[in-house]
Amino acid sequence: MQRVIQKAKDFNELVMFEHSIFSLPFIFIAMIVAADGWFGLWLLVLGVLAALSARNFAMGVNRYADRDIDAKNPRTSSRPNVDGRLDRGSILIFIIVNALIFIAVAYMINSLAFALSIPILIVLAAYSYFKRFSSLAHVVLGVALGLAPIAGVVAVNAAIPLWSVLLSLGVIFWVAGFDLLYSLQDIDFDKENDLYSIPSRYGAEATLFISALFHALAVLFWLLFVWAADLGMFAYAAALGSGFVLYYEQMLVRKDFTKIDRAFFTVNGYLGIAFLILIIIDRTLS
């Protein structure tokens, strides 16, 4: 039993389970807006399973593909995929199991979700390889997480309305923007190993500018989402408030690069939760 518990801890460390907080709020936002309120316990359970299995699949592929890179980077050299705690076979089984769970859950949701399940998995897996040949890897990561709101509305309505696309575009630029900030930690390593991150190719100042631009676009698309979905003042407050949060994040990193972890995890985690709460209030009072 002790060995099983330890193995579970190793897999948890591998995929950083707690960071699922980034995608889950926006799935639920899309589901709440699509249902104009509570969407039901069954869809809640399926939505959580789909989100967690998709993220576990994506992180598993990333760790599987990046084992050689992670082993060279002092920041990542103690990860379970590198230090021997999890071998390649175990990680591969983990990837396959989570892919099958995601496909099975999509099948239980509806036919459109099932039809989109394989293409979504392909997009999720693609991010892990982009850094080897393209600086667009940050945007691909954004697309991977940006699929979450569309998946949420497909689960409820088996359709993809305009407002869900706008919500997703906001998530894409939000994620790409904070991934740019996070990647500043590896700017020297990426240069030395010929990896195609924007910081390694264009420098820190250009990265900060592009990140700020992406975050401005995220707020713009979220405002357009609120307008297209015909939501109320609390939803507008959520979109505008996210702008202040992202401004704080930008200033935090510009002041001190050692604050990148705080900006990446804490600030972005609060943003998603606050956005969700305000949407719930908006739909409750409408």
Side-chain angles (χ1 to χ4, degrees), residues 135-146 169-183 198-199 207 210-215 218 249-250 264 268:
S135 297
L136 291 176
H138 312 281
V139 178
V140 175
L141 178 63
V143 172
L145 271 73
L169 285 169
V171 173
I172 288 170
F173 284 108
W174 168 51
V175 172
F178 71 61
D179 188 59
L180 283 170
L181 298 179
Y182 191 70
S183 64
I198 285 178
T207 300
I210 296 170
S211 174
L213 176 61
F214 280 2
H215 280 166
E249 178 179 318
Q250 292 285 333
F264 185 81
N268 287 298

Side-chain angles (χ1 to χ4, degrees), residues 261-273:
D261 272 356
R262 179 181 170 190
F264 185 81
F265 299 121
T266 308
V267 176
N268 287 298
Y270 285 143
L271 185 152
I273 294 171

Side-chain angles (χ1 to χ4, degrees), residues 38 45 53 58 73 83 104 123 142 146 180 206 213 223 225 248 262 265:
W38 177 234
V45 172
S53 59
N73 190 340
D83 63 11
V123 173
L180 283 170
L213 176 61
L223 285 168
F225 146 68
Y248 170 73
R262 179 181 170 190
F265 299 121

